[in-house]
Amino acid sequence: MKILIAIKQAIALDEDFEIRADGRDIEEDFFLPDLNEWDEYSLEEAMLIKERHADTPVEVVCVTIAPDSADEALRKCLAKGADRAIRVWDESMEGSDPVAIARALAAVAKKEAPDLFFAGVQSSDHAHGATGIAVAGFLGWAHSAVVARLDYTPGAKEVVLKRELEGGLSQELRLPCPAVLTIQLGINKPRYASLRGMKLAAAKPIETLAPGDIGLATNDCGESGSLARVRRMYVPEKQRAQILAGDVAAQAKALAAIIREATGS
Amino acid sequence: MARDPKYDILFTPVQIGPKTLRNRFYQVPHCIGAGSDKPGFQAAHRSIKAEGGWAGINTEYCSIHPESDDTHRLSARIWDKGDVHNLRAMTDHIHQFGALAGVEMWYGGAHAPCMESRATPRGPSQYASEFETLTYCREMDLSDIAMVQQYYVDAALRSRDAGFDIVYVYGAHSYLPLQFLSPYYNKRTDGYGGSFKNRARFWIETLEQVRAAVGNDCAIATRFAVDTLYGPGSVEVEEDGMRFVELADPLVDLWDVDVGDIAEWGEDAGPSRFYLQGHQVPWTRYIKQVAKKPVLGVGRYTDPEKMTEIVTKGYADIIGAARPSIADPFLPKKVEEGRVDDIRVCIGCNVCISRWEIGGPPMICTQNATAGEEYRRGWHPERFPKKGSEDSVLIVGAGPSGSECARVLMERGYTVHLYDTAEKIGGHLNSVVTLPGLGEWGYHRDYRETQIGKLVKKNKQSQVALGQKPMTAEAALTYGAEKIVIATGSSWNTDGTNCLTHDPIPGADASQPDQLTPEQVFSGKKPIGKRVVILNADTYFMAPSLAEKLASEGHEVTIVSGVHLANYMHFTLEYPNMMRRLHELHVEELGDHFCSKIEKGRLEIYNIWGDGSRRTYRGPGVFPRDANKTHRWLEFDSLILVTGRHSDDSLHRELNARQSEWEANGVKAVYLIGDAEAPRLIADATFTGHRVAREIEEANAQFPKAYKREVAIWGNPHSPGVNPEIEYES
Ligand SMILES: Cc1cc2nc3c(=O)[nH]c(=O)nc-3n(C[C@H](O)[C@H](O)[C@H](O)COP(=O)(O)O)c2cc1C
Ligand code: SF4
């Protein structure tokens, strides 16, 4: 039984940063890279399945579509107990949008043929929230987003889960396997890697693949394989905010005055 | 990063007489336990602050003559050439970093017991010191006055020779000049007593003479308690306080003003338990209205925001700091470099002060483990030697000791995993900060949390694992660390074991519904009844703090104490207001009483001096005194056991028992630090964590390396021309 997990080396920023000269991203010097927070949870969920059912062997495989700077994130997963790590990249993949990334992930999934495919609900940097479900689209598998509880016995033909909906509602679902699930924060308590885990992970290989190895053509990848591209990244201008004092009547009067001023009426 | 321009004003220079302070950060006089006898300690502790950006740095109070000898406490002294030689080390090292060095010339009157010199202190009138209650001074006549004033002049000349830039006439904390000014001490009817002018005369004349002697070379400062906080009958700021500043202003180059006296000098060095940053402003702000010379004030100023406000609002020109400079000698530099969040904020616990009050062992600081260790251990507060090996370290326990150990190891470049069951760094401190008035003690945790957070980002191999399952010996052994540091802390005894009987108390059992340990009080899970008895055998803050907490919550609290309740709080200057607080809350104290047994709802107490005063040998198996017959029952709804603590060291014991498995698991060493080694002050727990982190490459880092000692060396005279051999008068 196999679980494939899509992971991402996400980027955090300090208070001070600069935008790249071409205006399309942040200057790399200011990147504080780390494993995407959501991915900590999907990895943990996979590890729990692996550990809870010791009699059925479960292989946990992590995959990322990224240059070698993301090896650190993969090693973190290996240190926490993932069995294998795969990284797919070449220069043609530069500029991929979530759909192009999903196309590549789906190609890996076809090759690996997992019973479950996990992705985070979203990534903490770009927050598209699209990749996981797009993978399901390419594969045509059953899928569910924002999974907050999961019941699965390795080898079973279906998975039972609870997913979060708007307004505090939850939905319980039963999906056939293979299935694509995007995993929500708080579904479990992610573990930390031990020093032993880190040392072992440092010695484990990372399988590196080029798009061709997974059957992708050049125009499936990068900007040519994407419908979206980043035109400009900028810090929005500060908007004016004002707290209206006084009781409701006074506030309403003040608000009316502001509207009148803004609309020139 | 550059400093925030809103703090620019703190970095503008100030002229004081012939000297210039490069900025507004100024270390006011404070003791460290070095004096003139440990010149290396003195020079290193003060010059570290010069390096850290302070503009002016002072000695502690510095005795001008053997007639002002504070032994058993430790002052500096500038009595002779030997002292000049030793203090020169301090001024030289301060000057290397471009700061000014000041000396606080001190004559104590009856507050100085002269236990070493056996001289007789002189004062304005004869009085018994309210601080050193067995010491009386002799009233000065006019020739005495002239003689003592000459002491100041001679000491000022020696100070100049020692390289000091600022020379103080010290009249705060009720020392001699203030004794003349205050009618509380001064009962004279001659030209030095009675009217304000007469009472001010001694101080004014002394300033004139000192100024005439060294005023061209040195800035003349005076330290003045502008309000002694006694109300009428002593010095009040809007009366004699302002009047004196107006009168003496032409004679001084710098006003260093504070409040209070010596017997309760916690009103000046206000503990955070009772006083906020800037607590003296309501009094000291009046001084700028009459002073034309620069004014500096104190008030545990740790926050540049507040400091800026003090200067811009015109309450003071210069920010004086004792404790903030101890907790972070690099405070000004950190503001200058825009690293305000790196400031190690003084928590206001006054443990630094406790050492002086105890009688002068080297000062320690809860926040800054390097304070006092600069010279003898070579510890720089901001620089750390690079790691000496590739060993990775697992630290179990993120309390004061474990988190300090982690911080320092990470600073040194080691890969560290800091592991705790709690969700937050801080250990037992996270409970202590919920006690009344102790919120600011949380800065100890906050500093380490912030620093470790930054360091973990620099080394991805390092990790802080919180909210974890308790670490087992098996998990620790197989964790993959070459070195394991156990910092699992301590707990309060559940069975009444205490320092008096060294045994459990029959019936003491915190698993009973009506008995609680302090931890159980913190957790809030056990209901606490109306009538609370606190059984105490601990001499620090836990019993009085719990009493304050519970009494404020409406319980009727009685403390049964077999030891001097809150004794250590005398040394931290928290005692007077703590007692006032307990009194306000109607907490009953049964002192000199302890407990022989406990039953449901009642404990049997006895007077600890109730056994016979005559000691007789009565043969084996028989107590050599008459039996104690003072036992009686006291009822309670809830009983809180503050009888003693024990180390939570079972993990360490288990690991030691499995030493044969260490090598196979790659474990080279296991260390025990903090309360897990022995329950102790937070300052000492922090120190042990810091020390092991610095010395981890040693063959056995569990035990401290030798430090450099500064002691008199046989055969060498302290002052030139003195024969060091034994010689008797014939
Ligand atoms: C450890 C310690 C020792 C002190 N010793 C002296 C002293 O020798 N002379 C003196 O004038 N004040 C002494 N003080 C008082 C300080 O100068 C200062 O007035 C007081 O601590 C308030 O300032 P702070 O809030 O910045 O600590 C001492 C303070 C501390 C903390
Ligand atoms: S011992 Fe406490 S009061 Fe003194 S400087 Fe350190 S933190 Fe501040």
Side-chain angles (χ1 to χ4, degrees):
Chain A
M1 189 270 153
K2 188 189 281 187
I3 305 175
L4 185 61
I5 306 169
I7 69 121
K8 178 179 180 185
Q9 174 91 304
I11 301 301
L13 294 176
D14 256 342
E15 278 162 43
D16 292 299
F17 59 82
E18 282 164 25
I19 304 228
R20 214 164 61 190
D22 71 1
R24 293 177 58 194
D25 207 342
I26 309 294
E27 196 63 68
E28 229 175 279
D29 293 349
F30 299 94
F31 283 8
L32 300 171
D34 200 357
L35 179 61
N36 175 35
E37 196 184 351
W38 275 262
D39 303 346
E40 304 257 7
Y41 291 82
S42 31
L43 174 65
E44 181 65 25
E45 204 55 27
M47 291 304 299
L48 290 175
I49 293 171
K50 181 182 169 85
E51 287 165 354
R52 217 176 276 142
H53 306 283
D55 33 336
T56 321
V58 175
E59 189 180 29
V60 175
V61 183
C62 292
V63 55
T64 191
I65 314 297
D68 59 6
S69 57
D71 281 356
E72 199 177 271
L74 287 171
R75 294 228 184 271
K76 191 170 184 184
C77 298
L78 291 171
K80 291 186 184 209
D83 298 290
R84 284 168 51 217
I86 302 171
R87 185 168 58 74
V88 183
W89 192 251
D90 74 8
E91 266 148 36
S92 71
M93 305 190 95
E94 196 71 58
S96 296
D97 71 355
V99 173
I101 297 280
R103 187 181 293 117
L105 288 170
V108 174
K110 273 187 204 139
K111 186 160 174 268
E112 289 286 330
D115 302 86
L116 289 173
F117 182 102
F118 291 169
V121 166
Q122 64 181 66
S123 58
S124 48
D125 47 9
H126 285 122
H128 289 297
T131 312
I133 295 307
V135 170
F138 283 112
L139 293 171
W141 293 358
H143 58 271
S144 176
V146 202
V147 174
R149 202 190 66 219
L150 188 59
D151 277 324
Y152 179 68
T153 315
K157 294 275 167 288
E158 57 179 26
V159 53
V160 179
L161 59 88
K162 189 178 87 173
R163 59 187 293 262
E164 278 176 17
L165 300 177
E166 289 299 305
L169 287 178
S170 293
Q171 184 182 33
E172 281 203 7
L173 285 179
R174 201 177 278 276
L175 296 182
C177 293
V180 175
L181 309 179
T182 71
I183 305 294
Q184 176 63 315
L185 302 181
I187 185 171
N188 53 41
K189 187 163 188 278
R191 71 195 57 198
Y192 293 94
S194 70
L195 279 162
R196 177 171 304 271
M198 287 181 174
K199 286 173 186 169
L200 290 175
K204 276 194 192 172
I206 288 174
E207 299 161 42
T208 48
L209 300 172
D213 301 332
I214 50 173
L216 292 183
T218 313
N219 60 3
D220 291 332
C221 302
E223 293 200 354
S224 47
S226 298
L227 295 171
R229 83 190 161 87
V230 178
R231 290 180 54 208
R232 183 158 82 92
M233 201 177 270
Y234 60 95
V235 180
E237 257 175 59
K238 278 222 175 76
Q239 303 285 308
R240 239 174 6 140
Q242 183 183 343
I243 292 173
L244 302 179
D247 58 13
V248 179
Q251 286 174 334
K253 207 166 155 199
L255 183 60
I258 291 169
I259 293 170
R260 243 179 265 122
E261 191 197 317
T263 55
S265 59
Chain B
M1 239 173 21
R3 75 166 180 255
D4 192 320
K6 70 183 170 196
Y7 305 138
D8 281 354
I9 195 158
L10 299 174
F11 292 87
T12 52
V14 188
Q15 193 66 29
I16 50 166
K19 302 283 176 175
T20 311
L21 289 167
R22 60 183 166 185
N23 61 38
R24 306 301 176 100
F25 299 91
Y26 184 97
Q27 181 236 279
V28 288
H30 74 77
C31 302
I32 56 176
S36 315
D37 298 349
K38 292 192 166 62
F41 178 6
Q42 184 69 272
H45 181 82
R46 307 297 178 185
S47 61
I48 258 305
K49 295 181 190 177
E51 186 188 342
W54 301 83
I57 296 138
N58 287 280
T59 60
E60 59 271 68
Y61 67 147
C62 183
S63 167
I64 57 173
H65 189 274
E67 215 171 272
S68 181
D69 159 27
D70 215 22
T71 315
H72 54 109
R73 288 170 295 267
L74 203 140
S75 75
R77 294 165 168 180
I78 191 142
W79 294 354
D80 52 30
K81 288 212 166 77
D83 293 336
V84 169
H85 175 79
N86 279 358
L87 289 173
R88 181 100 224 175
M90 166 185 163
T91 60
D92 282 348
H93 280 84
I94 287 176
H95 290 152
Q96 275 176 24
F97 292 101
L100 302 184
V103 59
E104 187 181 36
M105 296 200 300
W106 168 72
Y107 187 103
H111 303 319
C114 292
M115 291 190 197
E116 178 190 310
S117 67
R118 307 189 75 172
T120 307
R122 290 180 262 189
S125 302
Q126 186 166 69
Y127 67 90
S129 166
E130 71 284 4
F131 176 59
E132 192 59 63
T133 49
L134 259 182
T135 309
Y136 293 74
C137 54
R138 182 168 69 75
E139 180 175 315
M140 293 189 208
D141 64 20
L142 296 185
S143 68
D144 290 317
I145 287 176
M147 202 173 156
V148 171
Q149 286 174 332
Q150 190 59 38
Y151 291 171
Y152 278 96
V153 171
D154 293 343
L157 292 167
R158 287 191 292 273
S159 299
R160 184 190 57 191
D161 294 347
F164 285 104
D165 309 285
I166 306 166
V167 172
Y168 269 76
V169 173
Y170 177 23
H173 303 114
S174 295
Y175 289 128
L176 187 64
L178 190 127
Q179 291 166 20
F180 271 91
L181 186 66
S182 168
Y184 173 70
Y185 297 102
N186 185 342
K187 313 293 181 190
R188 303 175 75 96
T189 52
D190 63 1
Y192 289 89
S195 69
F196 162 74
K197 269 260 161 66
N198 282 354
R199 286 182 279 113
R201 191 176 313 282
F202 176 89
W203 201 333
I204 296 289
E205 286 175 359
T206 306
L207 282 168
E208 280 167 353
Q209 292 176 27
V210 167
R211 190 172 188 84
V214 300
N216 289 336
D217 304 316
C218 304
I220 308 299
T222 205
R223 191 153 219 223
F224 176 30
V226 297
D227 199 308
T228 49
L229 308 175
Y230 294 179
S234 187
V235 178
E236 292 178 280
V237 65
E238 290 189 88
E239 303 286 337
D240 288 356
M242 289 169 85
R243 236 175 256 144
F244 181 74
V245 171
E246 224 172 341
L247 183 67
D249 200 57
L251 300 171
V252 308
D253 301 314
L254 173 65
W255 284 105
D256 175 344
V257 297
D258 67 354
V259 298
D261 63 356
I262 187 64
E264 272 197 50
W265 69 284
E267 300 305 307
D268 169 34
S272 61
R273 181 188 287 272
F274 302 113
Y275 295 112
L276 292 173
Q277 184 174 214
H279 63 101
Q280 305 195 15
V281 168
W283 287 269
T284 53
R285 68 194 182 91
Y286 288 100
I287 300 311
K288 284 275 292 167
Q289 294 175 16
V290 279
K292 294 192 183 70
K293 302 294 173 56
V295 175
L296 79 84
V298 289
R300 205 160 47 80
Y301 290 119
T302 54
D303 173 10
E305 202 90 39
K306 185 77 187 177
M307 299 179 195
T308 305
E309 181 195 324
I310 295 296
V311 177
T312 49
K313 286 205 173 142
Y315 297 151
D317 304 293
I318 298 161
I319 301 299
R323 293 165 295 168
S325 76
I326 298 168
D328 198 338
F330 274 61
L331 190 153
K333 259 238 157 91
K334 289 175 181 176
V335 178
E336 169 122 62
E337 292 170 0
R339 300 194 290 128
V340 171
D341 64 340
D342 286 338
I343 294 173
R344 199 161 41 244
V345 178
C346 164
I347 69 170
C349 63
N350 283 4
V351 162
C352 46
I353 288 167
S354 71
R355 298 296 149 135
W356 179 76
E357 285 278 333
I358 286 169
M363 179 186 71
I364 59 174
C365 169
T366 306
Q367 267 285 41
N368 176 11
T370 68
E373 308 296 348
E374 300 89 353
Y375 176 77
R376 63 176 188 172
R377 293 186 209 263
W379 290 1
H380 188 286
E382 303 294 320
R383 283 206 307 269
F384 303 89
K386 286 272 155 304
K387 65 178 174 180
S389 78
E390 289 303 315
D391 293 344
S392 52
V393 187
L394 167 67
I395 301 175
V396 185
S401 173
S403 58
E404 176 72 353
C405 190
R407 176 182 81 86
V408 175
L409 284 169
M410 288 179 185
E411 288 279 12
R412 297 193 57 200
Y414 279 100
T415 291
V416 179
H417 281 204
L418 179 62
Y419 188 101
D420 204 299
T421 52
E423 294 289 349
K424 203 167 165 52
I425 285 177
H428 80 294
L429 200 51
N430 285 323
S431 310
V432 168
V433 299
T434 65
L435 287 167
L438 297 190
E440 292 197 50
W441 289 24
Y443 296 144
H444 185 281
R445 167 201 60 210
D446 298 347
Y447 172 70
R448 283 155 192 88
E449 207 170 37
T450 306
Q451 296 304 309
I452 289 171
K454 290 186 181 186
L455 288 160
V456 161
K457 279 191 196 149
K458 286 194 201 151
N459 176 0
K460 286 285 173 61
Q461 299 298 305
S462 284
Q463 188 166 270
V464 182
L466 299 171
Q468 299 298 296
K469 287 192 290 252
M471 177 69 76
T472 61
E474 179 64 26
L477 266 181
T478 57
Y479 194 86
E482 282 80 17
K483 303 223 160 144
I484 303 175
V485 180
I486 307 297
T488 40
S490 66
S491 305
W492 289 91
N493 297 334
T494 58
D495 62 0
T497 298
N498 61 85
C499 62
L500 298 173
T501 68
H502 290 200
D503 269 322
I505 297 169
D509 176 6
S511 69
Q512 296 297 318
D514 62 351
Q515 296 184 35
L516 300 92
T517 60
E519 290 94 343
Q520 290 174 341
V521 177
F522 292 128
S523 84
K525 286 187 198 132
K526 249 187 204 181
I528 301 178
K530 180 80 181 164
R531 294 167 309 163
V532 171
V533 172
I534 298 176
L535 179 59
N536 180 56
D538 177 87
T539 50
Y540 199 10
F541 63 87
M542 189 53 76
S545 283
L546 287 176
E548 180 181 3
K549 169 184 158 69
L550 294 171
S552 341
E553 288 165 8
H555 300 272
E556 291 165 10
V557 181
T558 304
I559 305 176
V560 174
S561 191
V563 295
H564 181 336
L565 179 67
N567 191 40
Y568 202 84
M569 295 170 88
H570 280 297
F571 309 140
T572 61
L573 314 180
E574 292 166 292
Y575 191 84
N577 285 323
M578 186 78 247
M579 289 303 126
R580 289 183 179 113
R581 192 80 192 108
L582 295 187
H583 182 76
E584 277 163 9
L585 291 164
H586 307 294
V587 172
E588 289 281 342
E589 186 195 339
L590 275 169
D592 288 342
H593 272 71
F594 207 56
C595 168
S596 41
K597 59 175 179 262
I598 299 168
E599 293 177 357
K600 189 175 161 22
R602 61 178 198 165
L603 75 166
E604 187 186 61
I605 59 171
Y606 61 94
N607 186 312
I608 57 170
W609 309 122
D611 51 358
S613 65
R614 268 188 305 278
R615 181 196 71 179
T616 338
Y617 183 63
R618 297 168 187 186
V622 188
F623 186 60
R625 296 182 190 275
D626 289 347
N628 191 332
K629 298 205 184 75
T630 61
H631 294 68
R632 63 190 165 97
W633 289 100
L634 181 67
E635 292 185 355
F636 59 79
D637 299 320
S638 296
L639 175 68
I640 298 168
L641 300 168
V642 188
T643 59
R645 295 189 281 168
H646 61 273
S647 294
D648 293 326
D649 58 356
S650 56
L651 178 58
H652 185 253
R653 288 167 191 272
E654 286 167 40
L655 283 171
N656 267 350
R658 295 175 67 174
Q659 196 153 358
S660 59
E661 297 169 56
W662 289 8
E663 203 180 328
N665 285 291
V667 174
K668 296 182 188 165
V670 177
Y671 309 106
L672 185 63
I673 60 170
D675 283 1
E677 187 187 17
R680 45 177 53 129
L681 296 179
I682 299 167
D684 288 324
T686 309
F687 169 82
T688 60
H690 192 106
R691 187 195 62 73
V692 164
R694 292 240 186 200
E695 298 181 354
I696 199 156
E697 297 86 1
E698 294 299 310
N700 190 352
Q702 182 65 44
F703 300 98
K705 268 179 24 180
Y707 51 82
K708 265 197 269 197
R709 296 176 62 209
E710 291 187 87
V711 283
I713 301 192
W714 170 248
N716 295 290
H718 172 66
S719 267
V722 175
N723 177 6
E725 295 301 321
I726 298 174
E727 45 178 356
Y728 293 105
E729 291 191 329
S730 46

